[in-house]
Amino acid sequence: HVQLQESGPGLVRPAETLSLTCTVSSDSITDYFWTWIRQSPGKGLEWIAYFYDGWSSKYSPSLKNRATISFDTSTNQFSLTLTSVTAADAAVYYCARGTLTSYGYPFLDSWGQGTLVTVSS
Amino acid sequence: NFVLTQPHSVSESPGKTVILSCTRSSGSIASNSVHWYLQRPGSSPTVVIYEDNRRPSGVPDRFSGSIDSSSNSASLTISGLQTEDEADYYCQSHDSSNHAVFGGGTQLTVL
């Protein structure tokens, strides 16, 4: 059973860059969709990005210009960077593993516990 | 792009059956699979239905999913409601560009 654990700074200043890391306990990188999702306080889930096929990525259109997802196979970690953060980026950020369905799109079968990010000066 | 609309909140009594809906605003609900996640307060989401109607191992058979092309919606049915079912439920699908889309979530109260 795979385990995912997010880590990050907790507090980021406005206009700075947020960097988060997700450590994956095991798994073949190419078999899954490595995913970032966030949830603003009291709000619903928002998909941010996928990393898949060992080199491909997909981004939410609303965050595409500011988000970058990557995977480091040497450490079995994948990361999210989000530039030029504002108060609207304050949220719990989750990493998750996506498993492909017969439709050709993934569902998220394993989630990390989430990490809270506050944006404040 | 499309929106998945879920009722904000639903209440039902223990032992009863509840149906949570998820309506797609444009394009066919059947064009991409729908998944359902449960999130209890303070916890991470967990999948209860994937690929419209498939149940992961460990999820009770009280949970079932379906899609209805006539209403362009997906449904999550929970029978024999238990207090532990009280949670937020999110539906999720994809657009044609493989961007994930979440519904706004339904808060289920069991009382």
Side-chain angles (χ1 to χ4, degrees), chain B residues 12-68:
Chain B
E12 189 49 270
S13 303
K16 299 291 189 179
T17 295
V18 69
I19 301 175
L20 308 182
S21 64
C22 171
T23 302
R24 179 167 169 159
S25 62
S26 61
S28 172
I29 192 70
S31 60
N32 291 312
S33 54
V34 176
H35 319 303
W36 290 88
Y37 303 90
L38 168 164
Q39 184 180 33
R40 297 187 176 93
S43 296
S44 306
T46 180
V47 62
V48 291
I49 292 290
Y50 68 98
E51 210 169 326
D52 301 336
N53 54 22
R54 303 185 69 175
R55 204 170 42 249
S57 60
V59 174
D61 60 5
R62 301 185 296 105
F63 290 80
S64 62
S66 63
I67 61 168
D68 180 359

Side-chain angles (χ1 to χ4, degrees), chain A residues 3 7 15 22 33 38 46 73 81 91-93 97-98 100 105 112:
Chain A
Q3 292 184 320
S7 57
C22 180
F33 284 63
R38 69 182 183 181
E46 178 184 14
T73 55
T81 60
V92 174
Y93 285 74
R97 186 187 77 173
L100 211 56
Y105 300 94

Side-chain angles (χ1 to χ4, degrees), chain A residues 34-63:
Chain A
W34 303 101
T35 310
W36 286 100
I37 307 100
R38 69 182 183 181
Q39 186 171 34
S40 300
K43 302 295 185 182
L45 302 171
E46 178 184 14
W47 171 72
I48 301 172
Y50 288 136
F51 184 88
Y52 60 105
D53 285 346
W55 63 276
S56 299
S57 58
K58 284 282 184 180
Y59 295 95
S60 165
S62 65
L63 294 170

Side-chain angles (χ1 to χ4, degrees), chain A residues 1-77:
Chain A
H1 180 68
V2 68
Q3 292 184 320
L4 301 100
Q5 178 66 60
E6 305 89 348
S7 57
L11 176 65
V12 184
R13 288 185 166 79
E16 293 191 343
T17 295
L18 168 65
S19 295
L20 297 172
T21 297
C22 180
T23 301
V24 182
S25 62
S26 61
D27 269 329
S28 168
I29 175 179
T30 57
D31 292 344
Y32 299 99
F33 284 63
W34 303 101
T35 310
W36 286 100
I37 307 100
R38 69 182 183 181
Q39 186 171 34
S40 300
K43 302 295 185 182
L45 302 171
E46 178 184 14
W47 171 72
I48 301 172
Y50 288 136
F51 184 88
Y52 60 105
D53 285 346
W55 63 276
S56 299
S57 58
K58 284 282 184 180
Y59 295 95
S60 165
S62 65
L63 294 170
K64 180 178 181 178
N65 293 334
R66 297 195 293 127
T68 302
I69 189 171
S70 60
F71 201 114
D72 185 343
T73 55
S74 67
T75 59
N76 235 38
Q77 294 177 326

